[in-house]
Amino acid sequence: MKRNLLAASVALSVITLVGCSEKEPELTTPIQQASYGIGLNMGQSLLQDGLEDIDTQALALGMEDALSGTEARVGEKELMAAFAELQSEAEERAANLSTEQLEANTGFLAENAKREGVITTESGLQYEVIESGAADGAQPQASDVVSVHYEGKLTDGTVFDSSISRGEPVDLPVSGVIPGWVEALQLMRVGDKWKVTIPSDLAYGPGSPSPVIPPNSILVFEMELLGIQDDE
């Protein structure tokens, strides 16, 4: 974590953390609630960067000194060394978690492939047919825009996105989505409803578009191909 990135997050927070006060602050006024929200967002950001072991009391002291104009209690050289060590530790933890997640993924996909009705493609994509459209129904090409209803879950059942719950399908370019979707959509026919299990390397891999989706996540979608825009 570069110092300027962490400092920018810290500078946004104008609260005194609970650990440094004699009693828990009230959260009744708009400024109190907004301040809490800023601190909450900052904490979530730090967690996402693998810095869950931050000393909250020292963090609050740094904020107080910055906001009051007090001279820094730790020198620039020491701060840079501390940030470098934190970054190194966070990267090591992330690498270990990534290895564990990938090993878990291998086991999950192997077991899922044994389930009756599951088809595994050459890429590793897995799907099972819930409902079939017409046998001669149109199949999308990469250049098409399709209308789809879907619900996306993690392997533990957590729903991270759902057009079904919103009650409104989405129109999207076949070539503009994650690789697992690109492949699945071109295998489907209009009217098909499938359960598609997408390995992490065909989804977002070690990256993540949202804190709701951890790095290297397998994604499980129930998806229904409603139509191809040019064919409607």
Side-chain angles (χ1 to χ4, degrees):
M1 169 77 59
K2 293 183 179 178
R3 181 190 172 193
N4 60 338
L5 293 179
L6 184 57
S9 297
V10 173
L12 288 174
S13 184
V14 293
I15 62 170
T16 298
L17 298 181
V18 173
C20 291
S21 59
E22 294 182 358
K23 64 178 181 178
E24 185 173 314
E26 294 183 359
L27 299 174
T28 53
T29 69
I31 188 62
Q32 289 171 333
Q33 293 171 352
S35 298
Y36 174 78
I38 292 170
L40 188 65
N41 289 338
M42 184 181 70
Q44 291 170 340
S45 177
L46 291 172
L47 281 177
Q48 203 168 7
D49 287 329
L51 298 176
E52 67 274 4
D53 54 354
I54 284 291
D55 185 322
T56 56
Q57 293 187 354
L59 176 63
L61 182 60
M63 286 189 289
E64 291 172 355
D65 284 353
L67 292 170
S68 66
T70 301
E71 183 177 352
R73 302 166 193 249
V74 180
E76 183 74 16
K77 184 177 180 180
E78 289 78 10
L79 285 175
M80 294 303 294
F83 283 121
E85 184 173 345
L86 272 183
Q87 182 175 7
S88 178
E89 291 175 356
E91 290 173 350
E92 183 177 354
R93 283 196 298 269
N96 291 337
L97 287 174
S98 178
T99 299
E100 292 173 4
Q101 183 61 56
L102 290 174
E103 290 175 352
N105 287 355
T106 298
F108 180 89
L109 292 170
E111 287 301 312
N112 192 61
K114 298 175 184 177
R115 294 176 52 245
E116 183 177 355
V118 173
I119 299 170
T120 303
T121 70
E122 186 176 347
S123 71
L125 181 79
Q126 298 179 347
Y127 70 90
E128 53 193 296
V129 178
I130 300 174
E131 296 176 10
S132 295
D136 59 350
Q139 287 181 282
Q141 298 180 0
S143 58
D144 287 329
V145 174
V146 296
S147 179
V148 184
H149 242 330
Y150 68 91
E151 182 167 83
K153 298 180 180 180
L154 303 178
T155 56
D156 65 1
T158 300
V159 176
F160 59 83
D161 192 13
S162 176
S163 71
I164 297 172
S165 65
R166 293 191 295 271
E168 185 175 353
V170 297
D171 294 334
L172 49 85
V174 173
S175 61
V177 288
I178 57 176
W181 266 61
V182 174
E183 180 179 356
L185 287 170
Q186 292 181 85
L187 294 173
M188 298 176 76
R189 296 183 182 275
V190 173
D192 282 352
K193 185 176 182 180
W194 289 4
K195 179 180 180 180
V196 181
T197 301
I198 303 179
S200 62
D201 61 324
L202 298 177
Y204 297 106
S208 173
S210 162
V212 181
I213 302 177
N216 294 313
S217 290
I218 292 173
L219 305 183
V220 182
F221 286 94
E222 181 179 299
M223 48 198 293
E224 181 178 7
L225 179 58
L226 301 176
I228 303 173
Q229 198 167 85
D230 291 342
D231 291 345
E232 295 175 350

